[in-house]
């Protein structure tokens, strides 16, 4: 079920109402059943895959807690193999097979291994990673094994964050299913406000920009350099509004019922370097990789070359996590390269700042760094969005010419796009630098506050895109 | 007194929450109603633009011959050529980016109040390809949902929730249309993008080399789109309106016939409807200067192509008369 569908509106109202009507002891069951329904609204049969990982990790957790010695590690490895195995079959099998076919073809052979004709289960990477974080945490003795199978299932399946995160940790989420959540006016309105802002970002900004981006990126050979530059900047904003919009709706939905999910985005386009960008972008995934892969590889407590390798490798894997395509792997590699390059040139860049005297103009330096970081992120996004590596290279070549004219189907499309971007910019600017200044959504005046909500809903009806389809990150 | 009331409300958290929610919905309702009604008024007072042309086709045209289809219909059938050679008054109801369901809905609205003497339906490649776009594009007909009950059955294919959305919001049918409505009401649009009886000429000339199609792509056929096409032909037959299905040229060479074209031709045959395929007509496709892009003819190409279509129609009519004799 899509958040941006009329079905979800009814689903949310019914589930939330029942949640507060039912006695506390039955609420987890309601959430579990509704989460199953939510997931099965996509492709019902795929609930079996989810069930498979749930059963494996539930028992893995229990046995991990009971077992001591080397068998403990073996148990963890078996559980991880089962989880990664599911990912490997459903997400990466055809990718590897495709590459094998190309290799064998080059050598004059035919690939005898057949392709799998299967759809990728929605949000597979998200719930697999969430399930894996549970077994790892139990193994590390940071979390007790969950004995209640229903509660554990709910931890993996909790519908607000089931298909696109935030990827939760058991320490943050599991205990919340045992706590009683009262009907709290302030908390409920906070959640609803977050949901409204999420819908605004998705429907008014992301899906509007997607129209331009799709027409440019799906036919790059027909576009001018200027159009592709515009489409790339639009895509950077589109993917942010799409994914952070989803996260806001997810976090808001959970908040209404009293659950606190982790923050997933923290205004990443105000970052002053790529390292900061990754601390603000898709935080639940970045921290997952940091906690479970980067630190396991030794983090920065190793030799300098190994440290650089660790960083680069983690981003390469992160790229691959996003999709079974070379475009995602290159996107990850570019980000890894940015980070390693920044470390290598750290002293040099400090010196340049000193020589140019920019250190005396902190605001100017900050502004300059924000722009550079945004442009670097945009360059990497080309590979993320392009349909193939060949397309990405063509797009970069065309962009380098900077040739016009700028293509647009009709002026209202651009007007709506820039209107949405302006609202986003001022909202983010206010929250980044002027947090305590005048606020519309949290205004003490009831009428101002409610007029703001009403105007946002009217704007969604007036200029939101209702045929925009699903969220980009569902495919991962 | 007021403070007492708020205090009393606050003491019951549920009542407090739902009272505030109700007041918010009241504000939203008032805004939605007033803005929606204003948009509806100005939507139907437009004097130019594609929304105006749809309204004119559905509610006003009494033309003898009407052209239906997507952008290829809108830009390929020249009114001056048709009106010069045939004793018919012409109107072009083609609309950029529209699909079979749209054409069928517009036809139903027209037939409800007027019987044309001839109908041309432009039919393109991949016309029956399964895609969400055709359904999404039905949004263009949402402003007519309330006033044209004959198209509701077709519009409901957009989504099951459509009647509910339309009942709940007055703004929804005019989603994303605010600037188009404003421009349609301003005189500026008449000079900016003039149409001749619905036909919009393209002035560009295509400079790219011709594509050669080596293989026909396989795709899933959308049965609803097939139904709409078949219903279009059936509806014309029932109303005794002569209908011609025409495929205008593409600036590409292909020896293979697209799945939709084959299917479209078969269905037309089933209803005894002439199907003219100009997609590979050498007299047209060997002239790049007739094209605005690889899918569309420019104004010059449209004039020549229109002559070709009329020739075929006249031959067809002659054959018909001869056969009858």
């Amino acid at each position: 079920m899509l958040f941006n569908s009329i079905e979800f509106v009814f689903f949310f109202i019914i589930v939330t109402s029942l949640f507060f009507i039912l006695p506390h002891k039955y609420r987890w069951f309601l959430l579990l059943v509704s989460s199953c329904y939510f997931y099965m609204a996509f492709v019902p049969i795929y609930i079996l895959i989810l069930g498979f990982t749930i059963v494996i990790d539930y028992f893995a957790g229990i046995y991990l807690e009971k077992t001591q010695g080397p068998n403990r590690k073996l148990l963890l490895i078996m559980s991880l193999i089962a989880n990664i195995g599911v990912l490997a079959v459903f997400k990466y099998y055809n990718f590897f097979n495709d590459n094998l076919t190309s290799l064998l073809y080059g050598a004059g052979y035919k690939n005898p291994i057949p392709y799998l004709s299967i759809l990728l289960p929605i949000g597979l990477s998200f719930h697999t990673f969430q399930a894996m974080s549970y077994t790892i945490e139990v193994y590390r003795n940071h979390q007790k094994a969950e004995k209640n199978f229903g509660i554990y299932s709910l931890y993996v399946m909790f519908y607000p964050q089931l298909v696109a995160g935030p990827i939760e940790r058991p320490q943050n989420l599991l205990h919340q299913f045992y706590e009683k959540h009262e009907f709290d006016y302030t908390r409920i309105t906070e959640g609803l406000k977050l949901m409204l802002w999420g819908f605004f970002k998705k429907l008014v900004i992301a899906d509007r920009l997607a129209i331009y981006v799709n027409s440019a990126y799906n036919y790059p050979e027909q576009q001018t350099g200027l159009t592709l530059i515009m489409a790339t900047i639009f895509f950077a904003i589109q993917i942010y509004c799409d994914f952070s919009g989803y996260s806001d709706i997810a976090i808001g939905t959970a908040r209404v019922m009293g659950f606190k999910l982790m923050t997933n985005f923290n205004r990443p386009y105000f970052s002053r370097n790529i390292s900061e960008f990754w601390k603000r972008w898709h935080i639940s995934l970045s921290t997952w990789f940091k906690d479970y892969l980067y630190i396991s590889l030794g983090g920065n407590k190793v030799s300098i070359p190994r440290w650089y390798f660790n960083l680069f490798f983690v981003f390469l894997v992160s790229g691959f996590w996003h999709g079974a395509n070379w475009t995602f792997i290159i996107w990850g590699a570019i980000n890894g390269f940015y980070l390693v390059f920044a470390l290598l040139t750290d002293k040099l860049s400090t010196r340049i700042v000193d020589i140019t005297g920019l250190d005396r103009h902190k605001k100017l330096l900050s502004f300059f760094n924000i722009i550079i970081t945004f442009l670097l992120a945009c360059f990497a996004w080309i590979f993320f969005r392009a349909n193939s590596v060949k397309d990405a290279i063509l797009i970069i070549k065309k962009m380098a010419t900077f040739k016009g004219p700028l293509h647009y189907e009709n002026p209202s499309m651009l007007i709506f796009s820039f209107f949405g971007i302006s609202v986003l910019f001022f909202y983010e600017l206010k929250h980044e630098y002027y947090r305590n200044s005048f606020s519309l959504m949290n205004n003490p005046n009831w009428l101002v506050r409610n007029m703001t909500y009403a105007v946002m809903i009217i704007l969604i009806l007036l200029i939101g895109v209702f045929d925009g389809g699903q969220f980009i990150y569902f495919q991962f | 007194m007021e403070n007492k009331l708020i205090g009393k409300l606050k003491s019951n958290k549920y009542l407090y929450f739902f009272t505030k929610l109700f007041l918010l919905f009241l504000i939203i309702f008032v805004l939605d109603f007033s803005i929606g009604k204003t948009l509806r008024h100005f939507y139907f007072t437009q004097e130019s633009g594609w929304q105006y042309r749809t309204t004119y086709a559905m509610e006003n045209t009494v033309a003898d011959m009407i052209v239906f289809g997507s952008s290829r219909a809108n830009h390929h059938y020249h009114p001056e050529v048709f009106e010069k050679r045939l004793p018919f008054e012409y109107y072009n109801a083609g609309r950029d980016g529209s699909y079979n369901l749209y054409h069928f809905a517009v036809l139903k609205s027209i037939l409800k109040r007027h019987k044309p003497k001839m109908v041309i339906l432009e039919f393109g490649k991949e016309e029956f390809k399964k895609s969400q776009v055709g359904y999404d594009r039905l949004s263009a007909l949402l402003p007519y949902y309330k006033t044209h009950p004959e198209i509701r059955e077709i519009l409901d294919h957009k989504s099951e929730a459509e009647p509910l959305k339309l009942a709940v919001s007055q703004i929804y049918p005019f989603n994303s249309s605010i600037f188009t409505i404003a421009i349609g009401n301003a005189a500026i649009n008449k000079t900016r993008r003039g149409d001749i009886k619905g036909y919009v000429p393209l002035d560009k000339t295509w400079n790219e080399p011709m594509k050669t199609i080596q293989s026909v792509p396989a795709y899933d056929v959308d049965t609803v789109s097939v139904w709409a096409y078949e219903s279009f032909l059936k509806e014309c037959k029932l109303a005794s309106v002569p209908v011609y299905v025409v495929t205008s040229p593409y600036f590409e060479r292909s020896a293979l016939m697209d799945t939709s074209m084959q299917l479209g031709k078969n269905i037309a045959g089933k209803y005894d409807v002439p199907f003219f395929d100009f997609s590979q007509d050498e007299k047209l496709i060997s002239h790049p200067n007739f094209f605005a892009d690889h899918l569309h003819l420019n104004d010059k190409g449209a004039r020549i192509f229109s002559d070709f279509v009329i020739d075929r129609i006249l031959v067809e009519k002659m054959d018909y008369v001869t056969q009858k004799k």
Side-chain angles (χ1 to χ4, degrees):
Chain A
M1 190 183 300
L2 295 172
F3 278 167
N4 54 334
S5 66
I6 200 99
E7 292 82 3
F8 177 73
V9 176
F10 289 111
F11 174 84
F12 171 73
I13 293 169
I14 294 167
V15 173
T16 311
S17 307
L18 285 174
F19 180 83
F20 287 114
I21 291 167
L22 281 176
H24 169 64
K25 60 179 176 179
Y26 300 121
R27 285 179 179 176
W28 70 267
F29 185 70
L30 166 79
L31 289 178
L32 184 60
V33 172
S34 45
S35 297
C36 288
Y37 178 80
F38 181 86
Y39 191 72
M40 288 170 77
F42 294 107
V43 183
I45 193 80
Y46 282 158
I47 193 118
L48 297 176
I49 302 164
L50 204 53
F52 172 75
T53 52
I54 287 171
V55 170
I56 294 278
D57 294 322
Y58 170 74
F59 287 108
I62 287 173
Y63 285 112
L64 272 170
E65 199 173 61
K66 283 182 187 165
T67 315
Q68 296 299 322
N71 284 348
R72 233 170 109 71
K73 198 164 194 168
L74 192 69
L75 260 171
L76 175 72
I77 291 169
M78 279 165 62
S79 139
L80 295 183
I81 286 174
N83 284 288
I84 295 169
V86 171
L87 267 180
V89 171
F90 286 92
K91 189 164 179 174
Y92 300 109
Y93 174 89
N94 283 342
F95 171 74
F96 284 120
N97 204 15
D98 203 27
N99 282 284
L100 183 69
T101 305
S102 304
L103 271 176
L104 290 174
Y105 183 78
Y109 297 102
K110 226 179 148 187
N111 182 7
I113 306 168
Y115 280 85
L116 279 181
S117 177
I118 43 170
L119 268 177
L120 176 67
I122 296 245
L124 181 68
S125 304
F126 285 93
H127 49 74
T128 305
F129 267 41
Q130 182 152 320
M132 279 160 69
S133 94
Y134 167 77
T135 46
I136 298 170
E137 292 296 342
V138 173
Y139 173 77
R140 287 179 177 175
N141 291 321
H142 294 163
Q143 171 69 40
K144 286 196 163 193
E146 177 55 54
K147 305 291 185 301
N148 184 326
F149 181 72
I151 296 279
Y152 174 72
S153 306
L154 185 55
Y155 160 73
V156 180
M157 295 192 66
F158 186 40
Y159 87 82
Q161 41 89 248
L162 172 60
V163 287
I167 304 167
E168 276 298 340
R169 305 303 144 77
Q171 297 96 316
N172 181 41
L173 189 58
L174 264 173
H175 69 91
Q176 294 191 54
F177 295 123
Y178 288 100
E179 289 160 9
K180 192 175 178 188
H181 305 284
E182 298 291 346
F183 186 95
D184 181 80
Y185 176 83
T186 314
R187 197 199 62 230
I188 289 172
T189 49
E190 261 176 32
L192 291 173
K193 272 190 263 183
L194 202 55
M195 286 174 77
L196 179 59
W197 177 234
F199 280 119
F200 187 87
K201 280 198 276 188
K202 167 68 179 163
L203 299 168
V204 176
I205 310 173
D207 287 349
R208 176 67 55 188
L209 297 177
I211 299 169
Y212 192 88
V213 174
N214 293 345
S215 70
Y217 266 75
N218 289 343
Y219 307 97
E221 66 286 347
Q222 293 173 18
Q223 310 300 335
T224 63
L226 202 59
T227 303
L228 289 165
I229 290 171
M230 177 74 96
T232 304
I233 293 170
F234 274 10
F235 179 67
I237 301 164
Q238 181 208 337
I239 192 159
Y240 170 59
C241 288
D242 189 281
F243 193 20
S244 73
Y246 177 90
S247 294
D248 285 346
I249 301 168
I251 296 167
T253 307
R255 183 85 53 89
V256 169
M257 293 184 287
F259 296 93
K260 199 163 175 11
L261 300 181
M262 70 187 292
T263 306
N264 220 10
F265 289 88
N266 183 21
R267 298 175 293 282
Y269 290 136
F270 282 109
S271 306
R272 278 153 293 189
N273 55 59
I274 287 291
S275 171
E276 188 188 346
F277 177 82
W278 281 105
K279 285 180 185 128
R280 288 165 168 249
W281 179 277
H282 202 175
I283 299 164
S284 65
L285 181 72
S286 306
T287 50
W288 195 101
F289 275 117
K290 187 180 138 221
D291 293 346
Y292 304 126
L293 184 62
Y294 179 68
I295 289 174
S296 302
L297 289 168
N300 60 0
K301 309 243 179 312
V302 284
S303 66
I304 288 179
R306 175 63 200 241
W307 175 30
Y308 294 165
F309 169 79
N310 288 351
L311 268 176
F312 187 80
F313 181 73
V314 167
F315 274 89
L316 207 62
V317 177
S318 166
F320 200 40
W321 176 90
H322 281 85
N325 194 319
W326 284 104
T327 50
F328 292 115
I329 297 171
I330 294 173
W331 170 77
I334 291 171
N335 279 290
F337 170 78
Y338 285 162
L339 283 173
V340 173
F341 187 77
L343 288 170
L344 283 168
T345 57
D346 188 33
K347 281 183 185 163
L348 181 72
S349 54
T350 315
R351 222 186 129 87
I352 291 171
V353 170
D354 280 348
I355 292 167
T356 52
L358 273 169
D359 56 332
R360 290 191 296 277
H361 306 280
K362 293 266 188 263
K363 281 186 180 168
L364 185 67
L365 180 64
S366 250
F367 176 73
F368 180 72
N369 284 337
I370 288 169
I371 298 293
I372 295 287
T373 308
F374 178 72
L375 293 177
L376 287 172
C378 282
F379 180 77
W381 286 132
I382 296 172
F383 284 90
F384 195 95
R385 175 60 186 85
N387 294 335
S388 65
V389 177
K390 201 176 139 198
D391 272 9
I393 293 165
L394 174 72
I395 289 163
I396 293 165
K397 276 185 187 166
K398 284 201 156 198
M399 282 167 75
T401 65
F402 226 94
K403 273 188 189 164
L406 186 70
H407 160 80
Y408 58 92
E409 216 170 90
N410 53 58
S412 52
M413 192 267 141
L414 280 187
I415 295 169
F416 291 146
S417 299
F418 285 116
F419 172 77
I421 293 170
S422 307
V423 173
L424 175 78
F425 176 73
F426 287 113
Y427 180 92
E428 300 259 300
L429 190 75
K430 185 222 166 306
H431 284 80
E432 181 72 17
Y433 298 113
Y434 310 101
R435 191 165 268 276
N436 297 319
S437 66
F438 178 78
S439 170
L440 285 170
M441 280 182 108
N442 293 309
N443 197 287
N445 185 308
W446 178 87
L447 190 64
V448 174
R449 223 168 45 235
N450 279 272
M451 279 304 284
T452 308
Y453 309 148
V455 167
M456 280 179 78
I457 291 169
I458 294 297
L459 281 172
I460 290 172
L461 286 169
L462 209 53
I463 61 172
V465 176
F466 291 101
D467 306 317
Q470 69 179 38
F471 291 83
I472 295 174
Y473 262 70
F474 274 26
Q475 61 184 297
F476 308 135
Chain B
M1 179 73 180
E2 196 182 320
N3 284 345
K4 244 184 175 178
L5 186 70
I6 292 171
K8 206 173 177 184
L9 275 175
K10 275 190 172 174
S11 65
N12 184 333
K13 55 190 178 184
Y14 296 105
L15 191 64
Y16 183 61
F17 175 77
F18 285 109
T19 309
K20 289 216 159 181
L21 198 63
F22 172 77
L23 290 172
L24 173 64
F25 277 122
L26 197 65
I27 297 174
I28 294 167
F29 174 79
V30 171
L31 284 176
D32 176 75
F33 186 83
S34 47
I35 296 171
K37 285 285 175 196
T38 311
L39 286 171
R40 177 169 289 277
H41 171 77
F42 285 108
Y43 183 92
F44 288 102
T45 57
Q46 293 182 80
E47 288 182 4
S48 60
W50 47 269
Q51 289 175 338
Y52 161 75
R53 292 202 296 272
T54 301
T55 308
Y56 182 79
M58 289 173 73
E59 298 185 348
N60 302 99
T61 187
V62 282
D64 300 317
M65 75 159 288
I66 302 173
V67 178
F68 290 85
S70 62
S71 56
R72 285 162 50 79
N74 189 247
H75 307 304
H76 290 186
Y77 298 83
H78 208 295
E80 286 167 13
V81 180
F82 276 92
E83 288 192 342
K84 200 173 161 188
R85 291 191 58 193
L86 297 173
F88 292 154
E89 199 193 321
Y90 167 107
Y91 193 74
N92 194 316
R95 180 160 168 169
D96 289 8
S98 61
Y99 290 78
N100 283 320
L101 285 162
Y102 173 88
H103 315 326
F104 181 42
V106 176
L107 175 85
K108 279 191 93 169
S109 289
I110 294 173
L111 288 182
K112 202 183 158 195
R113 54 166 189 82
H114 165 64
K115 186 183 161 186
K117 293 188 180 115
M118 184 197 286
V119 158
I120 289 179
L121 173 64
E122 164 68 29
F123 187 88
K125 285 182 178 178
E126 301 185 7
E127 197 79 55
F128 298 139
K129 187 177 178 179
K130 211 168 204 170
S131 153
Q132 188 52 40
V133 187
Y135 298 95
D136 293 346
R137 294 284 168 90
L138 282 176
S139 302
L141 294 173
L142 292 177
Y144 309 94
Y145 192 91
K146 278 187 183 165
T147 47
H148 289 261
E150 71 278 4
I151 66 167
R152 284 181 196 162
E153 175 203 11
I154 301 162
L155 275 181
D156 288 345
H157 283 287
K158 184 169 152 53
S159 87
E160 282 174 2
E162 232 45 43
L164 177 72
K165 287 183 199 171
L166 288 159
V168 166
S169 172
Q170 297 290 327
I171 290 180
Y172 176 67
F174 308 99
N175 169 265
S176 301
S177 292
I178 187 163
F179 288 113
T180 317
I181 292 172
I183 293 168
N185 277 281
I188 159 187
N189 205 37
K190 275 189 176 171
T191 51
R192 196 172 64 92
R193 195 180 179 185
D195 69 279
I196 312 160
K197 300 195 170 184
Y199 162 82
V200 177
L202 296 175
D203 300 319
K204 288 183 289 179
T205 303
W206 189 235
N207 294 317
E208 300 289 321
M210 181 181 274
K211 280 200 275 183
T212 304
I213 309 296
Q214 308 282 12
S215 61
V216 178
Y219 51 81
D220 289 337
V221 168
D222 183 356
T223 49
V224 177
S225 182
V226 175
W227 166 81
Y229 169 75
E230 196 166 348
S231 304
F232 186 102
L233 302 185
K234 236 193 276 182
E235 202 84 12
C236 286
K237 284 274 155 185
L238 275 173
S240 306
V241 175
V243 54
Y244 298 89
V245 182
V246 184
T247 301
S248 49
Y250 289 89
F251 191 59
E252 62 188 28
R253 249 187 203 100
S254 170
L256 306 154
M257 201 174 205
D258 166 71
T259 315
S260 299
M261 293 271 288
Q262 190 61 59
L263 193 55
K265 198 175 177 179
N266 293 345
I267 295 169
K270 192 171 134 189
Y271 292 95
D272 217 9
V273 170
F275 188 102
F276 304 150
D277 180 7
F278 291 94
S279 64
Q280 292 297 299
D281 194 313
E282 277 299 327
K283 282 180 229 132
L284 292 159
I285 67 166
S286 54
H287 296 276
N289 59 326
F290 289 173
F291 287 84
D293 57 53
H294 73 283
L295 290 175
H296 301 104
L297 293 166
N298 56 26
D299 191 49
K300 187 180 179 183
R303 281 178 186 275
I304 292 161
F305 167 66
S306 300
D307 255 330
F308 281 34
V309 175
I310 297 164
D311 289 344
R312 286 291 292 271
I313 290 173
L314 293 175
V315 169
E316 183 74 26
K317 279 196 174 258
M318 285 285 249
D319 287 350
Y320 182 72
V321 173
T322 320
Q323 274 171 21
K324 275 223 155 180
K325 275 182 182 172

